[in-house]
């Protein structure tokens, strides 16, 4: 979603800002803009709908550059993607420019008041109230007091960077909930919504505290709380560089990431097993782990599906209940504090606004919080009491693939580790669990190879003609069917509905017709497998078309299928992990035939930083 990059120093800023925006591009955006102090009396700016490349080309034509500037990539929330709605936004005299991430709640009221006072608005955005309100406040207050008044009037979660023509030597940074990070260097300083934007310039960073106002000059940083009190915030060293991730010969990042899964899982598990003080890093004592009575997991989207599957791991191995929450719903439900419980927040990016808000809520009740993320420098890792860092490597394609499978592997491993600590499992059994994971990761990859030709040549052309699908699963394969349906919807735009297979006869069976293929995911639990066979029979009895993901030896099911994938048998808890690669590859190939922009599906962003 939206990205902010800013610079103040003794070099021209345009090149750095464009470069920084390009590093944040993969998060998703629809327009981009730049502004700086140049020679004229007003702030110069260029905005473009579309790519940062387009912005770069327009800036070259205008030779717009300066020693202090800001850039932004926008993902539309208030108002369509247009030049007028792109950031920066300005006051009436074009002396104040603002780039903003997040949402200003209740901005319409402020906007109407400002219009009554004669302010001229040119966009539909919530952001535009900020420069106009600041302009108004500066008529009455000096800079610092105007900023204090400004934040008093703004609700929501936001971070913004302000240029003010009367103070050409500085950037003003304001942060409430949305992240902002400053990079400190010799005679130049940087700011961005993600430190990857400047990670090749400096590793010396200051993560700005929540509810803070910062004045950043080329050789000075001053941080205040919202009441104007000075804050002392230590800089920290981050040895995490931006890897310029290329497609390495693959046609899409998604395909490359599908093929990276085995390695990502193996690397993550090997990395976890070398952590010396695992419970300490998770913010727990061994006593707390032994006494655990309940584990809660909170996430969004694909990460939530991983949690739904992990519920089966926790309840089987740790023998305690697991409760899974959608982050966007959790905050609005009553909170029942329970002793001897923990909350694990699962997020690829560690920046998902809904999950972060849920984390803050849980923390306020004093219950231990753990972040499981793929980005160690993320807000979630900083704010949680403890963390586990997956080693999936940068995931660029918007549709999550290797992060999902690595989340599954991580949560399986952690459940076993907790069980071992609770003396429910021996160290030999723990080793076997790790080995089972490596086997499932191997099958995830080899099954793609086994069916690659059939999928590309036969199955994808056949199934890409359908306009809707029903996905069915049971027990541990039900949440997996949710993930499969989401993958198909988000990248191919084909409608897919998932159901627990046992629910078919309670209503959805009415949908079965020749126009709607049924995709059924099997399990390896013998009792539940038999129920799945009955569900397959229900489909066939109504002349439904059945595509089945089955396992070796499941002849009854295989014989009922119109088309079938047969995988080697694995630990029954790892059925979803084993099926993941094949399911993703199948969806990928359908989407490719339909000609959709696989890595950047319409309307989606990689990092969902607004609620
Ligand atoms: C779908 C997808 C999203 C994310 C969701 C949460 O392929 O990637 O559903 O899973 O937006 O994101 P994270 O995991 O970064 O919190």
């Amino acid at each position: 979603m939206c990205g902010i990059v800013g610079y103040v120093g003794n070099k021209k800023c345009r090149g750095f800002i464009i470069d920084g925006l390009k590093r944040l591009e993969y998060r998703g955006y629809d327009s981009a803009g730049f502004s700086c102090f140049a020679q004229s009396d007003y702030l110069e700016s260029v905005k473009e709908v579309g790519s940062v490349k387009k912005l770069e080309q327009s800036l070259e034509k205008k030779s717009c550059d300066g020693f202090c500037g800001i850039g932004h990539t926008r993902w539309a929330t208030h108002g369509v993607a247009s030049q007028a709605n792109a950031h920066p936004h300005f006051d009436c005299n074009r002396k104040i420019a603002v780039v903003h991430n997040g949402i200003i709640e209740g901005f319409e009221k402020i906007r109407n008041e400002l219009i009554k006072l004669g302010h001229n608005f040119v966009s539909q955005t919530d952001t535009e109230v900020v420069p106009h309100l600041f302009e108004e406040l500066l008529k009455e207050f000096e800079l610092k007091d105007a900023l204090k008044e400004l934040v008093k009037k703004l609700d929501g979660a936001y971070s913004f960077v302000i240029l003010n023509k009367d103070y050409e030597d500085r950037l003003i940074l304001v942060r409430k909930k949305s992240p902002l990070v400053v990079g400190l260097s010799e005679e130049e300083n940087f700011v961005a919504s993600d430190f990857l934007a400047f990670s090749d310039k400096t590793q010396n960073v200051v993560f700005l505290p929540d509810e803070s106002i910062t004045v950043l000059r080329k050789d000075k940083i001053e941080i205040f709380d919202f009441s104007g009190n000075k804050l002392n915030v230590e800089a920290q060293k981050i040895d995490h560089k931006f890897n310029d991730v290329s497609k390495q010969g693959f046609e899409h990042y998604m395909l490359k990431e599908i093929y990276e899964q085995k390695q990502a899982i193996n690397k993550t598990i090997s990395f976890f097993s070398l952590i010396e003080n695992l419970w300490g890093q998770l913010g727990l004592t061994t006593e707390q782990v032994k006494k655990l009575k309940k584990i809660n997991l909170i996430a969004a989207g694909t990460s939530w599906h991983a949690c739904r599957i992990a519920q089966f791991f926790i309840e089987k191995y740790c023998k305690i209940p697991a409760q899974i929450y959608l982050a966007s719903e959790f905050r609005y439900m009553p909170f029942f504090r329970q002793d001897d419980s923990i909350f694990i927040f699962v997020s690829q990016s560690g920046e998902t606004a809904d999950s972060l808000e849920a984390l803050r809520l849980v923390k306020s009740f004093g219950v231990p919080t753990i972040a499981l993320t793929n980005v160690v420098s993320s807000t979630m890792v900083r704010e949680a009491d403890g963390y586990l860092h997956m080693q999936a490597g940068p995931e660029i394609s918007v549709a999550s693939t290797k992060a999902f499978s690595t989340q599954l592997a991580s949560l399986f491993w952690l459940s076993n580790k907790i069980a071992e600590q609770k003396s429910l499992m021996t160290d030999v059994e723990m080793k076997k669990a790790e080995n089972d994971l490596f086997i499932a990761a191997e099958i995830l990859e080899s099954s793609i190879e086994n069916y690659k030709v059939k999928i590309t040549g036969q199955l994808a052309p056949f199934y890409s003609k359908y306009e809707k699908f029903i996905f069915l699963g049971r027990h541990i394969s039900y949440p997996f069917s949710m993930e499969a349906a989401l993958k198909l919807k988000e990248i191919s735009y084909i409608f897919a509905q998932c159901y627990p297979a046992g629910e078919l006869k309670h209503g959805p069976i009415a949908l079965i017709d020749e126009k709607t293929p049924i995709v059924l995911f099997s399990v390896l639990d013998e009792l539940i497998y038999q129920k799945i066979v009955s569900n397959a029979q229900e489909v066939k009895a109504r002349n439904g078309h059945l595509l089945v993901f089955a396992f070796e030896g499941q002849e009854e099911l295989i014989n009922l299928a119109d088309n079938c994938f047969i995988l080697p048998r694995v630990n029954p808890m790892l059925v979803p992990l084993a099926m993941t690669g094949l399911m993703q590859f199948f969806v990928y190939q359908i989407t490719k035939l339909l000609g959709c922009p696989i890595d950047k599906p319409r309307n989606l962003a990689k990092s969902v930083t607004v609620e």
Side-chain angles (χ1 to χ4, degrees), residues 416 424-434 436:
N416 279 280
L424 297 166
M425 184 176 275
T426 63
D427 55 347
V428 176
E429 284 166 323
M430 180 69 215
K431 278 273 156 271
K432 178 173 178 316
E434 284 181 359
D436 285 351

Side-chain angles (χ1 to χ4, degrees), residues 520 531-541 546 548 557 560:
L520 178 59
K531 306 279 176 208
I532 285 184
V533 171
S534 305
N535 299 137
Q537 269 154 350
E538 287 160 13
V539 172
K540 288 315 297 173
L546 199 57
V548 163
L557 186 59
L560 285 166

Side-chain angles (χ1 to χ4, degrees), residues 68-129:
C68 185
I70 50 180
H72 190 262
T73 45
R74 171 177 188 256
W75 186 84
T77 55
H78 297 69
V80 296
S82 67
Q83 221 170 25
N85 287 337
H87 300 207
H89 288 283
F90 299 91
D91 65 324
C92 297
N93 298 313
R94 223 178 155 85
K95 295 211 167 214
I96 298 167
V98 175
V99 287
H100 159 227
N101 283 4
I103 287 177
I104 313 274
E105 284 168 12
F107 75 97
E108 293 92 344
K109 191 166 168 265
I110 306 174
R111 184 182 158 110
N112 291 339
E113 281 166 11
L114 288 164
I115 289 172
K116 276 192 205 139
L117 291 171
H119 287 262
N120 183 24
F121 281 77
V122 295
S123 81
Q124 300 158 295
T125 63
D126 52 341
T127 307
E128 204 185 354
V129 299

Side-chain angles (χ1 to χ4, degrees), residues 295-308 310 314 322-331 333 335 342-348 352-363 367-373 380 407 411:
I295 297 177
N296 304 280
L297 294 120
I298 302 190
T302 287
S303 301
W304 179 69
H305 297 150
C307 295
R308 290 285 309 257
I314 294 167
Q323 192 154 359
I324 317 303
Y325 297 96
L326 267 173
S328 54
E329 294 289 328
F330 175 79
R331 291 178 63 201
M333 281 146 62
F335 186 86
I342 53 170
F343 277 80
I344 304 177
F345 294 81
V346 179
S347 171
Q348 188 283 129
T352 301
D354 288 322
S355 304
L356 287 172
E357 281 305 310
L359 167 71
R360 289 165 189 148
L361 182 74
V362 174
K363 269 193 90 170
V367 181
T369 56
I370 296 164
L372 172 67
T373 82
M380 192 173 279
Q407 285 165 347
L411 290 165

Side-chain angles (χ1 to χ4, degrees), residues 53-283:
K53 183 89 206 144
K54 198 166 157 202
L55 174 70
E56 185 177 23
Q57 285 160 352
S58 303
L59 281 165
E60 271 160 19
K61 280 187 214 137
K62 279 201 164 183
S63 64
C64 174
D65 210 346
F67 295 97
C68 185
I70 50 180
H72 190 262
T73 45
R74 171 177 188 256
W75 186 84
T77 55
H78 297 69
V80 296
S82 67
Q83 221 170 25
N85 287 337
H87 300 207
H89 288 283
F90 299 91
D91 65 324
C92 297
N93 298 313
R94 223 178 155 85
K95 295 211 167 214
I96 298 167
V98 175
V99 287
H100 159 227
N101 283 4
I103 287 177
I104 313 274
E105 284 168 12
F107 75 97
E108 293 92 344
K109 191 166 168 265
I110 306 174
R111 184 182 158 110
N112 291 339
E113 281 166 11
L114 288 164
I115 289 172
K116 276 192 205 139
L117 291 171
H119 287 262
N120 183 24
F121 281 77
V122 295
S123 81
Q124 300 158 295
T125 63
D126 52 341
T127 307
E128 204 185 354
V129 299
V130 180
H132 287 284
L133 182 58
F134 195 37
E135 176 188 19
E136 195 58 36
L137 291 166
L138 281 169
K139 290 179 189 164
E140 199 181 329
F141 299 97
E142 58 82 34
L143 182 67
K144 197 172 156 193
D145 287 334
L147 285 163
K148 274 166 41 188
E149 291 302 312
L150 180 72
V151 294
K152 262 191 225 164
K153 293 187 190 300
L154 299 178
D155 283 334
Y158 51 78
S159 56
F160 45 84
V161 179
I162 309 178
L163 291 181
N164 183 336
K165 190 74 185 148
D166 292 336
Y167 301 92
E168 289 204 8
D169 62 338
R170 69 195 77 170
L171 294 167
I172 295 162
L173 326 173
V174 178
R175 181 195 162 201
K176 185 177 175 190
K177 292 182 182 163
S178 290
L180 264 187
V181 54
V182 166
L184 302 174
S185 191
E186 286 287 298
E187 292 290 303
E188 59 178 358
N189 289 320
F190 313 91
V191 62
S193 47
D194 184 328
F195 118 101
L196 287 180
F198 55 73
S199 62
D200 59 330
K201 305 283 180 213
T202 178
Q203 319 273 243
N204 208 11
V205 306
V206 178
F207 288 101
L208 297 181
D210 194 23
E211 306 210 348
S212 63
I213 298 169
T214 301
V215 179
L216 189 67
R217 297 181 179 85
K218 67 176 181 183
D219 49 7
K220 193 173 177 189
I221 175 168
E222 290 173 290
I223 308 176
F224 306 91
D225 65 17
F226 275 5
S227 309
N229 304 310
K230 206 158 182 175
L231 299 173
N232 286 321
V233 186
E234 294 282 310
Q236 44 181 289
K237 281 246 174 303
I238 299 241
D239 65 343
H240 178 66
K241 284 226 168 79
F242 177 78
N243 295 319
D244 196 0
V245 191
S246 74
K247 289 189 199 142
Q248 290 166 10
F250 285 92
E251 201 175 339
H252 295 99
Y253 282 109
M254 184 176 177
L255 189 60
K256 169 175 169 276
E257 289 159 8
I258 287 173
Y259 274 107
E260 282 172 346
Q261 297 185 94
K262 179 178 138 187
Q263 198 202 2
I265 292 166
N266 291 351
K267 199 170 162 199
T268 299
I269 300 311
S270 312
F271 177 80
F272 285 175
S273 45
L274 290 176
I275 298 174
E276 271 181 21
N277 177 10
L278 175 70
W279 306 123
Q281 186 182 307
L282 295 181

